[in-house]
Amino acid sequence: MSTVTVTSRIGLSSPEESKAVLKVSDLVVEYHTARGIAQAVNGVTFTVHAGEKLAIVGESGCGKTATLLAALRLLPSPPSKTVRGSVEVDGTDLMTLGPKALNEIRGRDISIVFQDALSAFNPVLTVGRQISEGVRQQRKLSKAAAHELAVDMLARVGVPDPDQRAKQYPHQLSGGMRQRAMIAMALAGEPKVLFADEPTTALDVTVQAQILDLVRSFKDLAIVWVSHDLGVVAGLADRVIVMYSGFVVEEGPVEDIFHSPKHPYTAALLRSIPRTDEMSGTHELVSIPGSPPDLVALPAGCPFYDRCAVRVDRCATDRPTLERVGDTQTVACWVAQAKDIAS
Amino acid sequence: MGILIFALRRFLLAIPTLLGLLIVTFILANFMPGDPLARLLGDVGGSNPETVAAYRAQWGLDRPLWEQFFIYVGNLLQGDLGQSTFTRRGVMEDLLSFLPATVELGVAAILFAGIIGLALGSLAALFHNKWPDFLVRAIALLASGVPVFWLGLIALQVFYLQLGWSPGPEGRLSSRVNPPPRITGAYTVDSILSADSVAFWDSLAHIVLPAAVLGAFFLGLVSRMMRASMLDVLKAPYLMTARSKGLNTRTIAQFHVLPNALIPTITVVGLAIGGLLAGAVLTETVFSWPGIGRYAVDAAKALDYQAILGVTLLIGFVYVITNAIIDVVYAALDPRIRLGS
């Protein structure tokens, strides 16, 4: 896995100055299971500006992928149900659109890259066709123009011999090539926002680095990158959202999150990454004891209460809300917020 | 390009299979119970050793088995399947005259069951665990669980005797209607080709019930297979990809769901063709349909050695060839098979 090297970003444009291209507000997603209603996403709110790279991190089951899929209205219903919330892309709320208007925006203004490129490609259609078919439908392209677009997109993501590759089927490409092809597919409609659902997790380290370099090169593209790998996030994101059992527990610029995590969960998460810059052997890998709460029966108080080392009485009964702590971070933790007031 | 080479290779592979089929059927036929000669010569002739010996010599039955086999294969290659002791005609001639009726019935059954089965299966998958799904599953279970001969009798009882919607079990045409001139041998097709509307409607009316009965098992199988594979495809990650690209429902159904759902269904369909041929024997008997099935039953009753061997070979041949065709269709649908991984 890649190392955590937090470089300071000098000359980073302030997000407030640029235009917000994606506004997710109070998103609530439930899963109807045999045991009851699982609350997978609980009031997630975030904004992404043009060209900004936002990372959503958290362990599996924390609702990070569900947030992306629900925002694109891709979650299968049943069993899932998006109960509340709005997802505005350039001012248009996807949640209220009819199917036709929704399809005008999906793939064009906002698109998504999945984790497993092999299963995300249809096995019986050529790669080129799948890259261009969304745009072909929206812009009524001819077959030749669609092929040209696919070849052009493959070339842009660094696939060698793009004309041949476009005519091939997904199973004929290598893993890294397939992942590039999927990125080409997501970018074919020239979106403003790209969702990425752990697209490098299934790749080996060198290919992973190549893909990250590629994604970093898209300067103007707003990206929401979901990952459990903080190492990847450190080298890619401007801003980080930490999720825990469906809640946003901390948000802030990547440097601040890594240097001074405010939420005990964020801090524990950072302690659990293997670090190559501490080879002395004194640094032990710390795992977080316990397990996340049952989403079917969320506790009344803080969802992290059971596993928290710094909890106070109030945490058991009152669920903390996201409040600004320090200059740049927002945190949902009573203890961190109390410390901030005291200092 | 790839598919042509694949098809050529697949059909070349069918040749050793057909040869194996020839050997097995020949050996089996030689161990069939009952002595065809005794039957042929009757009690008097069969009890006279000289007559028997003369017959054995005439038909080459006194020669070693391997020699008989080579003679048989040699004749077969010239289109000679021997003579039927029952119809007193060449078996090849018999098969060719009875085959079109069976092919017509079989194709009608496959079309009927295929189209309705695919539609029902898709419907069940789209309304998974809702009432159309339960209905389709019940139909599929009944259709593939009920024996063909019983279903045929029940269908006649209901649609012919009770409701009067269908003609009776009188074969391919009413006695008052003249068959169309023979072009393909299939009455429905020939009557269209010769613009004979009376023969067309009459032959169509006669084929509906037997085709439905023969296709019932097939329908159950196809709908269950289609339902299962479509449910898999509907959950497939690439469908989420397709939706994420803003594709409309028609494009998704036509290019992403259907081709993928058809792949496993087609495979099962190929395997079921053999069952269809077995069902044809029973269906033709129930509906007095003058096809290969009826011919096989008559030949078996008469211990008509050459005719039984001929029918067995023909059914085996059809089975091997349809499976080769199915494999080619399968490869055409799935590039992973066509191009290898």
Side-chain angles (χ1 to χ4, degrees):
Chain A
M1 290 284 114
S2 38
T3 57
V4 181
T5 45
V6 181
T7 50
S8 66
R9 284 159 189 273
I10 303 156
L12 181 75
S13 66
S14 161
E16 276 75 23
E17 286 166 19
S18 50
K19 198 168 109 240
V21 283
L22 174 71
K23 256 185 175 162
V24 175
S25 310
D26 196 22
L27 195 64
V28 175
V29 178
E30 292 174 347
Y31 280 90
H32 292 251
T33 71
R35 294 191 306 119
I37 295 173
Q39 291 168 289
V41 179
N42 300 298
V44 168
T45 300
F46 61 86
T47 303
V48 187
H49 300 269
E52 191 183 17
K53 315 284 185 272
L54 172 73
I56 303 181
V57 298
E59 58 204 313
S60 28
C62 74
K64 52 194 196 300
T65 299
T67 301
L68 291 195
L69 297 181
L72 282 173
R73 287 175 58 186
L74 288 174
L75 276 181
S77 173
S80 76
K81 194 177 171 208
T82 303
V83 182
R84 214 168 54 225
S86 67
V87 177
E88 285 177 32
V89 177
D90 252 355
T92 311
D93 184 6
L94 299 189
M95 293 297 141
T96 57
L97 292 180
K100 218 180 152 201
L102 180 65
N103 283 339
E104 289 286 304
I105 290 182
R106 287 205 293 213
R108 174 179 279 185
D109 291 327
I110 185 165
S111 59
I112 183 164
V113 176
F114 295 100
Q115 181 174 342
D116 179 11
L118 185 57
S119 63
F121 271 112
N122 182 340
V124 307
L125 299 179
T126 61
V127 171
R129 186 197 164 120
Q130 294 186 65
I131 289 174
S132 61
E133 68 179 337
V135 181
R136 194 180 172 189
Q137 178 193 291
Q138 282 163 343
R139 293 193 213 143
K140 312 266 180 288
L141 293 182
S142 70
K143 204 177 167 186
H147 177 70
E148 213 168 291
L149 172 75
V151 173
D152 184 42
M153 288 313 299
L154 282 172
R156 268 169 64 184
V157 297
V159 170
D161 202 1
D163 189 57
Q164 267 308 306
R165 294 297 176 194
K167 290 176 193 155
Q168 289 186 314
Y169 290 90
H171 76 274
Q172 294 174 294
L173 270 57
S174 69
M177 202 93 85
R178 245 188 329 255
Q179 203 58 271
R180 283 173 191 269
M182 186 158 63
I183 294 172
M185 179 159 72
L187 297 181
E190 286 167 17
K192 301 181 182 90
V193 185
L194 177 72
F195 283 177
D197 184 12
E198 310 211 31
T200 58
T201 306
L203 304 173
D204 60 58
V205 188
T206 45
V207 182
Q208 183 175 342
Q210 290 168 8
I211 297 289
L212 286 172
D213 280 342
L214 173 70
V215 172
R216 265 192 292 261
S217 71
F218 306 132
K219 300 276 186 227
D220 300 332
L221 186 65
I223 297 179
V224 181
W225 185 286
V226 152
S227 182
H228 66 271
D229 187 345
L230 287 166
V232 167
V233 167
L236 182 86
D238 303 320
R239 226 149 39 87
V240 178
I241 283 178
V242 182
M243 280 186 75
Y244 187 78
S245 65
F247 294 92
V248 174
V249 294
E250 182 161 6
E251 179 181 351
V254 68
E255 297 88 345
D256 300 339
I257 295 279
F258 275 83
H259 285 307
S260 64
K262 305 282 193 239
H263 198 283
Y265 175 66
T266 315
L269 211 55
L270 286 167
R271 278 198 302 276
S272 66
I273 330 172
R275 302 176 71 130
T276 48
D277 53 341
E278 290 180 22
M279 299 295 279
S280 59
T282 52
H283 181 89
E284 261 183 65
L285 272 187
V286 184
S287 65
I288 309 171
S291 52
D294 185 356
L295 295 177
V296 172
L298 281 177
C302 175
F304 193 58
Y305 180 79
D306 282 346
R307 305 167 81 180
C308 187
V310 298
R311 63 190 178 196
V312 295
D313 286 349
R314 189 187 178 189
C315 304
T317 49
D318 291 352
R319 194 173 282 166
T321 50
L322 269 177
E323 302 294 345
R324 179 148 287 216
V325 170
D327 294 335
T328 54
Q329 283 152 276
T330 51
V331 181
C333 173
W334 297 130
V335 179
Q337 288 164 12
K339 247 191 235 165
D340 188 50
I341 294 164
S343 65
Chain B
M1 221 18 233
I3 190 68
L4 283 180
I5 291 164
F6 184 92
L8 193 69
R9 231 178 29 207
R10 184 61 189 80
F11 279 102
L12 284 177
L13 270 175
I15 294 173
T17 317
L18 287 172
L19 197 66
L21 168 79
L22 209 58
I23 295 170
V24 170
T25 46
F26 186 80
I27 291 171
L28 276 181
N30 268 282
F31 291 110
M32 264 195 314
D35 184 357
L37 276 187
R39 172 87 189 199
L40 199 63
L41 300 175
D43 285 345
V44 181
S47 58
N48 182 346
E50 274 174 41
T51 318
V52 171
Y55 257 89
R56 291 182 73 87
Q58 190 198 331
W59 295 102
L61 294 174
D62 54 346
R63 305 199 193 175
L65 201 58
W66 61 268
E67 208 182 317
Q68 290 185 41
F69 179 69
F70 280 110
I71 294 170
Y72 185 74
V73 174
N75 289 341
L76 183 66
L77 288 177
Q78 294 166 44
D80 182 4
L81 276 170
Q83 215 174 5
S84 162
T85 53
F86 170 67
T87 63
R88 307 258 166 212
R89 292 194 303 174
V91 171
M92 186 62 97
E93 197 186 328
D94 276 350
L95 291 181
L96 288 179
S97 70
F98 286 108
L99 187 62
T102 299
V103 170
E104 187 180 22
L105 182 63
V107 170
I110 290 174
L111 283 180
F112 161 80
I115 292 169
I116 296 182
L118 288 181
L120 286 182
S122 310
L123 198 72
L126 292 176
F127 292 91
H128 184 41
N129 281 341
K130 300 203 175 74
W131 70 264
D133 186 20
F134 296 127
L135 185 68
V136 169
R137 279 152 79 181
I139 292 172
L141 197 68
L142 271 179
S144 53
V146 170
V148 168
F149 60 90
W150 188 81
L151 188 65
L153 293 175
I154 294 296
L156 280 173
Q157 174 71 26
V158 173
F159 294 104
Y160 168 55
L161 288 174
Q162 304 287 327
L163 298 170
W165 292 355
S166 166
E170 53 187 14
R172 307 171 75 184
L173 282 175
S174 306
S175 51
R176 63 189 157 76
V177 177
N178 290 321
R182 183 175 167 135
I183 303 165
T184 62
Y187 284 1
T188 43
V189 178
D190 288 352
S191 57
I192 291 175
L193 292 178
S194 56
D196 183 347
S197 69
V198 177
F200 174 73
W201 291 113
D202 196 60
S203 58
L204 192 67
H206 278 78
I207 205 168
V208 169
L209 207 55
V213 167
L214 176 57
F217 173 79
F218 207 59
L219 185 145
L221 193 74
V222 170
S223 63
R224 273 193 310 194
M225 228 17 244
M226 189 62 184
R227 173 182 176 272
S229 60
M230 193 130 155
L231 281 178
D232 275 348
V233 171
L234 289 175
K235 275 184 289 194
Y238 55 77
L239 268 203
M240 196 181 266
T241 312
R243 285 205 300 276
S244 80
K245 289 189 283 189
L247 299 181
N248 57 39
T249 313
R250 222 200 80 191
T251 310
I252 292 177
Q254 190 178 347
F255 297 107
H256 292 268
V257 178
L258 261 188
N260 281 294
L262 278 177
I263 291 169
T265 312
I266 289 285
T267 319
V268 172
V269 165
L271 295 173
I273 300 272
L276 198 76
L277 290 168
V281 174
L282 296 166
T283 311
E284 288 179 2
T285 308
V286 172
F287 287 92
S288 310
W289 195 265
I292 292 291
R294 275 270 305 284
Y295 181 68
V297 171
D298 291 342
K301 278 190 204 152
L303 273 184
D304 191 340
Y305 179 92
Q306 300 295 338
I308 294 170
L309 198 53
V311 171
T312 313
L313 264 186
L314 178 73
I315 290 179
F317 181 78
V318 170
Y319 192 64
V320 171
I321 295 302
T322 43
N323 268 288
I325 294 172
I326 292 293
D327 278 357
V328 173
V329 173
Y330 184 40
L333 283 171
D334 193 341
R336 286 165 299 185
I337 303 297
R338 184 165 75 238
L339 305 168
S341 24

